[in-house]
Amino acid sequence: MSTPANKTPSAAPAANRVGLTLADYKGARSTLCPGCGHDAITNSIINAAFELGLEPHRLAKLSGIGCSSKTPAYFMRRSFAFNAVHGRMPSIATGVHIANRDLQLLGISGDGDTASIGIGQFTHLIRRNVPVVYLIENNGVYGLTKGQFSATADFGTKAKVGRTNELMPIDLCALAIELGCGFVARSFSGDPKQLRPLLKAALAHRGTSVVDILSPCVTFNNHEGSTKSYDHVKEHDAPLHDVTFIPPHEPITADYEPGEVRQVTLFDGSRVTLKKLEADYDPHDGMAAMVTLRRAREAGTFVTGLLYVNAQKPAFDREVGMVEAPLASLPLDRVRPPRRVLEEIMEAHRSGAAPR
Amino acid sequence: MSTPANKTPSAAPAANRVGLTLADYKGARSTLCPGCGHDAITNSIINAAFELGLEPHRLAKLSGIGCSSKTPAYFMRRSFAFNAVHGRMPSIATGVHIANRDLQLLGISGDGDTASIGIGQFTHLIRRNVPVVYLIENNGVYGLTKGQFSATADFGTKAKVGRTNELMPIDLCALAIELGCGFVARSFSGDPKQLRPLLKAALAHRGTSVVDILSPCVTFNNHEGSTKSYDHVKEHDAPLHDVTFIPPHEPITADYEPGEVRQVTLFDGSRVTLKKLEADYDPHDGMAAMVTLRRAREAGTFVTGLLYVNAQKPAFDREVGMVEAPLASLPLDRVRPPRRVLEEIMEAHRSGAAPR
Amino acid sequence: MAALAFSHEGDSSLSAPTHVRINDCNLHVATVNGSGSQTANATLLRAIFQMGVPVSGKNLFPSNIAGLPTWFTIRVNERGHLARTRTNDVLVAMNPETAADDIAAMGPGTVTVVNAGIPLPELPSDRTVHVVPCGKLVEPIVPDAKLRKLVVNMIYVGVVAHLLGIDAEEIDRALGSQLGRKQKALELNRAAVNAGLEYAREHLPPAPVRIERRSLTDGKILIEGNTAAALGALFGGVTFVSWYPITPSSSLAEALQGYLERYRRDPQTGEATYAILQAEDEIAAIGMVLGASWAGARAMTATSGPGFSLMTEFIGYAYYAEIPAVIWDIQRIGPSTGLPTRTSQGDLLSAAFSSHGDTKHVLLFPASVEDCYQYGMQAFDLAERLQTPVLVMSDLDLGMNVSMAEPFAYPEEPWDRGKVLTDEELDRVKTFERYRDVDGDGIPYRTIPGQRHPAAAYFTRGSGHDEQARYTESSETYARVMDRLARKHETARRLAPGPVIDRAPHAAVGLLSFGSTAWAMDEARERLREDGLETSHLLLRAYPFHPDVRAFLASCERVYVVEQNRDAQMAALLRMDMPDLAPRIRSVLHYDGLPIDARSIVERVLHGEREEVVAR
Amino acid sequence: MAALAFSHEGDSSLSAPTHVRINDCNLHVATVNGSGSQTANATLLRAIFQMGVPVSGKNLFPSNIAGLPTWFTIRVNERGHLARTRTNDVLVAMNPETAADDIAAMGPGTVTVVNAGIPLPELPSDRTVHVVPCGKLVEPIVPDAKLRKLVVNMIYVGVVAHLLGIDAEEIDRALGSQLGRKQKALELNRAAVNAGLEYAREHLPPAPVRIERRSLTDGKILIEGNTAAALGALFGGVTFVSWYPITPSSSLAEALQGYLERYRRDPQTGEATYAILQAEDEIAAIGMVLGASWAGARAMTATSGPGFSLMTEFIGYAYYAEIPAVIWDIQRIGPSTGLPTRTSQGDLLSAAFSSHGDTKHVLLFPASVEDCYQYGMQAFDLAERLQTPVLVMSDLDLGMNVSMAEPFAYPEEPWDRGKVLTDEELDRVKTFERYRDVDGDGIPYRTIPGQRHPAAAYFTRGSGHDEQARYTESSETYARVMDRLARKHETARRLAPGPVIDRAPHAAVGLLSFGSTAWAMDEARERLREDGLETSHLLLRAYPFHPDVRAFLASCERVYVVEQNRDAQMAALLRMDMPDLAPRIRSVLHYDGLPIDARSIVERVLHGEREEVVAR
Ligand SMILES: Cc1ncc(C[n+]2csc(CCOP(=O)(O)OP(=O)(O)O)c2C)c(N)n1
Ligand SMILES: Cc1ncc(C[n+]2csc(CCOP(=O)(O)OP(=O)(O)O)c2C)c(N)n1
Ligand code: SF4
Ligand code: SF4
Ligand SMILES: [Mg+2]
Ligand SMILES: [Mg+2]
């Protein structure tokens, strides 16, 4: 997490804790189709980042290829961005994090970019637990190439032009949990009230956090018979709980009946309260999460909310064992060993007693 | 499954139902290290194929790159083989099956070949349910490149030269079940009594069948501190049941107490009996299988046996809708539409009323 | 050319232009992507075609689904010069975002139709601008505002029909054939066309460029290269297709899927004599093709730049293990994602030498929709005869734009599946060695997995192998196999289609073109001739080069290789192959993503020739 | 040379050979892979080195962990000719599987030591064969049968020491420095060496090739190219390495990992000033490098053929988005898996034009272990200065075999991280445009993600972009950016290391070599001189070519480009680049996976020159 710069809050009401206005978190004008779910997500990101008071220069936006992957251009224009090749953003994220562990990484991907071509890198990203917020703007189709099914298209869903999908979808949340991901959530572009706090929570998590966001493609997958249309998703959205995000050191303001909420504490001390809707749901129980997802799949519903969290998961940095300072910032004298080291090595190669 | 040629069983005791001897199922001399687990698996394959009476020309051997992937050269020399590039055997298998659905496909891979570079194609193979027996000769290391950790190396396991693995392994069986695979088993190269019937059962299944076989690398991963050494695996092997394979139309010969065995019927009518060891285990319950695997992982044991089976899973061919005859065998007149079709299309392009 | 006054709503001068050009003009339409202008543009194109006048249409579209600017250019030329030209005679400016630039680019004597409400820039008086209230005209016809947006473009169809003198009847017929089955849409569109037409008749003078009936398109078809390629594959007996969506190749796979579904699936049983799979990426797509082809299918894939790069490892495998494969690369502008909706011929070098080690591949260069159809079939024959990948290097311009053509001929020959040994033949030949050069042409024999003959089976691998397909690390064997592969590449020179040569008797200068570059060549040569430069021309159709290519180069003092890339990639291949002739090779390069035009060629050749004189 | 009689166990003639060659011989040892012969061979090599005589060792090993044949060749040459030669003077035949062939390859006057029990072929009488009972000799020393297998090879060390006259003391010292810390092993091995030595002294005559003390290796080191490259990276300030295991590049990454662990991790805190990751494949490896490099790390990867092919798409991205990256390609024989443990220079064309679209990359060609060390540093400087991938084209021969060298010099210069703008500089320059050619050299400025300055951020993409890194589909902008990239490539000609030229005053013939091919050049030129042909020589060190390369070609009538691939790939690059000089380029090609030798060069150059005369 970025540590906030200690600026005095400006008088203007529109400024956040780092003195920036909502406008500072915006980007270029979107060139997506009017009504595209992705634009709604962009909006939620802008608001979440503004409300959290993220410093733009400490965040890097990463993406692959697709309509979804274009969206980093449409928010946080003052952040660096890396729009990579199709399906390979995770490896970019891994490299960026290693070079500069102070950067907070926000990866934007699509269901094609992640579940089809990118499923390998997605798997290994999670396995390494690289600290990146990984958003999937999931519409079940390849928007940018005009509407072919992706690997998250539901069994039996219909394409705009006739064809029916005969394959089972990959459930990216279930997969992430099976792979040991420490933060897994699902949400809906059309539900900013739920999405925003989930985004904030994801940003507060220390390892890989996966947020799979149903995001209807109004142009190619919003017709009758599609299981990823606005209407269908709205109708089958089954939120597990009402989500509220509370930054570190802020008190919980709302009053809850005892037993009505669950509270999840994240790595940086921020908390998420989950107000129960139907049944109580414990996001610390991975096995239960898998069962819940499986049942929902069978029932044809989308459970949304914070599915699984493990704030204790050892961080990626431990394995790598890097210094605190960003590797990218190390001066020459910290990365070029002194003359005597070369001499020692040369001597070993002279005498044949090469170390290693 | 291949239909057996109706030969009269030869007088020589060594011939199987298609009139071949064990020698007919062998291949070139192995060039693996003496004692390599992979050679033991090769042996089990030879015996299983011989006992089943497979016709060599109806089976195709496919593999990637690695010590494991070399083994198709060491069995069934009379079968065609395709030793592909690293990690991409699944796409080859998909193409081969489509061209000739009469071929039975036996894919051999390693843990590096499957879980590291190949995890994407593995995932999509299962998703499509391409009928192939997919064996992973799992030693937790890259044997051929001299002992680096693969993505199935257990957390905390030690390399021959010092390093400790800091990453969580990918459990290929759990992953396969999550992805909807219809046949998932785990076994041990050192337990041919269990492995052989599992191989036969896998060959009798109609969709993708995954068999993850612990197969110690005696040269690079057989030391103390390794969780994939012979000693460690033997000690932590926790078989779920005793497995017996019964071909179609053959009666069950052994006597079992009622309740002592479970019987699983496979697509082609063959059966597997599972004699319970500790607790009763129902391989039809995918969720239970996931729980069992998760518990075993936590306990540091390897559960082996038939983990999950769903003989009813719709076959890949249905989606594709191919004719019965192998596509590869269709004569020109079945694949070149008649002259009037071209004329019809040309007319449409002349008048501007192009169909589609 | 007469200078025409500005015309604004209702006050246009109705007098006819003093000088009129017939059947030779360029119409440029600027609209917003996703606004439904395709139907409007196609209607105009088809109506002209139906008037018997040669015509081509080029779509310049953004990498975007809706909202960004897009352009459509219709070139009319009764002498059949249908390549892109750089100047437009008539502009329809419907997009406020680009109107200022679009209008500014119009030269003297041109006519612009601009939608009312779009601010007009200051312009010299020799440009005619007609402001047409398209919105107002369509309003009474389509009450529904959302629908109206899609129909409004039909107004300019009517206006342009009047300006250019396109038969209203033909417009109507073209509209009918496009919307035939949607009665309601047809009526609305018809009404909008008429409203435009009537408005124009009343308010606007005809343009100084006009269309008159001819009979030069009788019996001809209009078709896109990708559709033609799909047809070729269909009649070539394709049995397996795998692909991953990527512009501009998707339409090839999708057209093929449509045809296969319709003509190769039994309507009774539902059984298909093909399979088409959307792979999870291009590595899987080519892997599936290799698996299928190895097992005896006629297998192909279609892709573009980034996908092609991903196939690299497997392409090298196929070269060395000798597996037939047909790969269509519908080239777009790279490097990397580049301009995904712009055309290019920039993949030549990376295709010719795709993958590490000593590899060289067979490339075909379709230069017309007929070629796409023919190569759609022949690429299979060639791949199976040579047992190697055949890369068909098409491009966006050829693949996605419509061209005129004679109707395609039904193949009179059976397919050629190359040297495949059946079980019966195996019995006869006695020994079978997968990689033996029995015939001296470098091409070995193969069997098909599943064959029952005990000698049929062999082991396919990308590692070192001997003639019997056994693993080996022997240096001699390795080199021997590589020498045979080089020999096979030599054989490919003669098996692949040879060049088409048009030699001018005394010309010292040759021009060499290939693929969609060829379209501008006739026109360019004609203009060069007018400028006093006779040229010979060679249309290159394949790599490795046919011996006739060498002979052509040897017969010219200088050869200008015309190509649509920055790095003179074809010239490089020629220089490598014929180092002794390398000094006579010159380059004409064009690489801004727009299709090459004749003027660019003429200018650069003349410039080159002037330099030549100076140098001497 | 005197014909020597067959010698069998115990009955060798002990008389010295009549004609003795000093410090010029080739020793060839044939063993079984995994049998522990490395220590034996290294001991011999090192002992000779310690005697002050120049020596090289080449390991010819199979793609196998244990059981297949392997060979080790030691070349001794006091004039420093240390490339491979095709003939051996002394053979040690320990592998029954290959002994017949190994022995048959020995010429007249040679000496063969063969392990007892290996059947002997019929041989002409002018080959000496000594049958040595290695097993019997080692038995009393090592009672444990399993261990004995590993020690038995030390017997031939003793035998060879006697035959060639290698100092027993130096053998002992070499053994000590290798096994120093393993006391028990040291003793056993020592005893075995002595047993061999004693047996030989008693039974065998010295060989006609002998080693005598010199002081030509004083102060020198013995090192492998991959180790040297790792050292270069270490001192070049590498901060990030990602890799995926593949022979013959793994040893580079593993050596680097060892050095980093030792010298770049704080022993107290355990904190490292680097990170090294084993990626899941090569696509991920290069992706991580690009991510890290973009974010400001000095990032590299090492791979070989198949891995390099997989990197294709990302390499094109890095070219177009202008991201520094250092990629070591330790070339092995392709295509595809090929012969994974054999050397080659076959990836040149696929590397130079890696990825679709107009791409051309910067290649470096290390020709010695010093170069590996130097380029290990310089490749970073070059990649960061040019903001592009730099591909270091090493090979298995250079990377995995030991060479003699002067100790490496500590870098006296700081690193050069190219045009990076700090926040302070941003304040000063006022406008920052990521892709603007401010200096006219085609190289733009960059900032590093995380910089706080409000103008620092930019958007990196592989799609069309303008000078300000904004998305664009403008044709003009696209072409302008591509022209700048071409300009940058021109700049690379002068930033990359220039050639090393040795011009012979009146030579009409030039030789051009690069990489490990250079090793045989001195010897080849000397022999050519003896045959009456003076040659000039150019050692090429980088692509794109330095202007001096052109000048060299222009100054020769003919230039033979010597390379280790089938397709004359370097010649192709030269022909493309200098078409006017293309006709004077000839090729000497060698592509059987074994390192090239001087004789092959000499024969082919002389053959070429004879053809030249005939042609005239
Ligand atoms: C290697 C490669 N193959 C194919 C493409 C073409 N392509 C661009 S976007 C895309 C799919 C995007 O789908 P998704 O990730 O779901 O994003 P969406 O557009 O639906 O948001 C494809 C296949 C490409 N750019 N690169
Ligand atoms: C693209 C590519 N990268 C790397 C390699 C080198 N390589 C050969 S085998 C192998 C790993 C094999 O490991 P695994 O699949 O576990 O097989 P094992 O040898 O352990 O049986 C690697 C990395 C390769 N052949 N191709
Ligand atoms: S095509 Fe679909 S995903 Fe793409 S911008 Fe339009 S609505 Fe969004
Ligand atoms: S290295 Fe390991 S996996 Fe490979 S053959 Fe030897 S024991 Fe088997
Ligand atoms: Mg999508
Ligand atoms: Mg392994």
Side-chain angles (χ1 to χ4, degrees), chain A residues 29 31-34 65 67 70 85-86 88 112 116-117 142-146 148-149 163 219-220, chain C residues 63-66 68 97 243-247 250 254 257 261 278-283 310 336-337:
Chain A
R29 187 166 62 91
T31 58
L32 303 186
C33 307
I65 300 282
C67 296
K70 285 182 172 185
V85 297
H86 194 26
R88 318 295 181 191
S116 299
I117 191 171
Y142 298 166
L144 191 55
T145 56
K146 309 207 161 185
Q148 302 85 0
F149 290 129
R163 244 173 281 279
T219 302
F220 296 112
Chain C
S63 172
N64 157 271
I65 302 303
L68 289 189
E97 212 181 306
W243 66 296
Y244 188 71
I246 187 165
T247 309
S250 301
E254 286 171 331
Q257 178 148 29
E261 190 68 37
Q278 187 184 310
E280 64 270 28
D281 66 11
E282 290 87 350
I283 300 180
L310 277 175
S336 196
T337 304

Side-chain angles (χ1 to χ4, degrees), chain A residues 36 38 65-69 85-86 88 109-114 117 137-145 148 150 217, chain C residues 244-247 281-282 303-308 310 332 337, chain D residues 313:
Chain A
C36 175
H38 302 350
I65 300 282
C67 296
S68 33
S69 293
V85 297
H86 194 26
R88 318 295 181 191
S109 182
D111 43 307
D113 198 60
T114 294
I117 191 171
E137 306 193 342
N138 190 343
N139 53 20
V141 291
Y142 298 166
L144 191 55
T145 56
Q148 302 85 0
S150 80
C217 169
Chain C
Y244 188 71
I246 187 165
T247 309
D281 66 11
E282 290 87 350
T303 189
S304 189
F308 190 76
L310 277 175
R332 65 189 211 186
T337 304
Chain D
E313 190 191 13

Side-chain angles (χ1 to χ4, degrees), chain B residues 148-346:
Chain B
Q148 303 86 358
F149 290 128
S150 80
T152 69
D154 294 298
F155 178 83
T157 191
K158 299 225 163 4
K160 206 175 171 188
V161 282
R163 244 172 281 280
T164 300
N165 185 37
E166 302 273 5
L167 292 176
M168 296 300 294
I170 295 178
D171 183 333
L172 293 169
C173 288
L175 188 72
I177 296 170
E178 165 55 31
L179 293 167
C181 186
F183 186 104
V184 181
R186 173 164 284 150
S187 193
F188 172 36
S189 65
D191 185 1
K193 239 178 103 276
Q194 184 199 57
L195 179 54
R196 270 198 232 175
L198 285 176
L199 289 177
K200 290 180 195 170
L203 284 159
H205 181 71
R206 185 175 50 162
T208 309
S209 41
V210 168
V211 188
D212 182 25
I213 311 168
L214 294 160
S215 175
C217 169
V218 292
T219 303
F220 296 111
N221 206 10
N222 203 26
H223 48 277
E224 254 212 61
S226 157
T227 57
K228 294 265 195 319
S229 68
Y230 264 110
D231 290 350
H232 189 94
V233 174
K234 236 187 207 146
E235 211 164 287
H236 297 80
D237 184 359
L240 290 166
H241 32 234
D242 275 345
V243 187
T244 313
F245 177 84
I246 303 136
H249 318 302
E250 231 173 68
I252 297 183
T253 48
D255 267 348
Y256 295 108
E257 297 289 315
E260 200 191 5
V261 299
R262 253 182 201 280
Q263 188 173 308
V264 174
T265 305
L266 297 168
F267 172 74
D268 68 347
S270 53
R271 284 141 300 157
V272 179
T273 63
L274 305 173
K275 185 167 163 236
K276 87 168 142 195
L277 289 176
E278 312 240 310
D280 188 20
Y281 180 85
D282 177 7
H284 290 105
D285 182 347
M287 214 54 242
M290 298 286 279
V291 173
T292 305
L293 284 169
R294 204 170 253 247
R295 297 238 169 89
R297 228 144 65 208
E298 278 158 19
T301 60
F302 303 102
V303 285
T304 56
L306 181 53
L307 293 167
Y308 178 67
V309 67
N310 173 3
Q312 261 63 58
K313 203 175 148 75
F316 171 72
D317 315 80
R318 197 193 74 178
E319 189 220 348
V320 182
M322 302 182 289
V323 288
E324 283 290 323
L327 291 181
S329 70
L330 299 177
L332 181 58
D333 63 358
R334 290 197 65 187
V335 296
R336 173 175 288 170
R339 193 177 295 267
R340 64 155 182 78
V341 168
L342 183 64
E343 282 163 4
E344 175 184 323
I345 297 169
M346 287 300 105

Side-chain angles (χ1 to χ4, degrees), chain D residues 2-8 11-13 15 110 124-130 205:
Chain D
L4 290 167
F6 252 66
S7 93
H8 282 275
D11 78 330
S12 345
S13 135
S15 59
T110 59
S125 63
D126 56 358
R127 276 90 168 148
T128 303
V129 176
H130 303 309

Side-chain angles (χ1 to χ4, degrees), chain C residues 494-527:
Chain C
R494 292 178 179 277
L495 288 191
V500 181
I501 296 174
D502 176 25
R503 207 183 300 271
H506 303 290
V509 170
L511 303 181
L512 186 153
S513 74
F514 61 98
S516 65
T517 305
W519 299 354
M521 294 312 287
D522 273 359
E523 190 179 352
R525 291 177 69 205
E526 208 173 288
R527 293 220 217 153

Side-chain angles (χ1 to χ4, degrees), chain D residues 22-24 53-55 75-82 214 216 404 522-523 525-527 529-530:
Chain D
I22 304 298
N23 290 343
D24 177 14
V53 183
V55 65
R75 181 165 187 197
V76 181
N77 186 287
E78 71 177 24
R79 294 161 68 207
H81 295 160
L82 296 172
R214 295 286 183 273
L216 298 165
M404 260 176 35
D522 273 358
E523 190 178 352
R525 291 177 69 205
E526 207 174 289
R527 294 221 215 153
R529 199 173 302 126
E530 286 162 17

Side-chain angles (χ1 to χ4, degrees), chain B residues 327-336, chain C residues 233-239 264 273 296-299 377-378 380-382 384-385 411-418:
Chain B
L327 291 181
S329 70
L330 299 177
L332 181 58
D333 63 358
R334 290 197 65 187
V335 296
R336 173 175 288 170
Chain C
L234 175 72
F235 288 93
V238 64
T239 44
R264 292 272 297 277
T273 60
R298 293 210 125 181
M377 295 184 272
Q378 289 173 19
F380 285 123
D381 287 353
L382 200 56
E384 294 205 292
R385 290 178 73 185
E412 303 300 339
E413 297 291 315
W415 56 16
D416 187 337
R417 304 213 54 181

Side-chain angles (χ1 to χ4, degrees), chain C residues 224-226 366-369 372 394-401 516 519:
Chain C
E224 287 124 16
N226 281 349
S368 64
V369 291
C372 288
S394 178
D395 63 34
L396 183 140
D397 187 22
L398 173 54
M400 290 187 72
N401 288 322
S516 65
W519 299 354

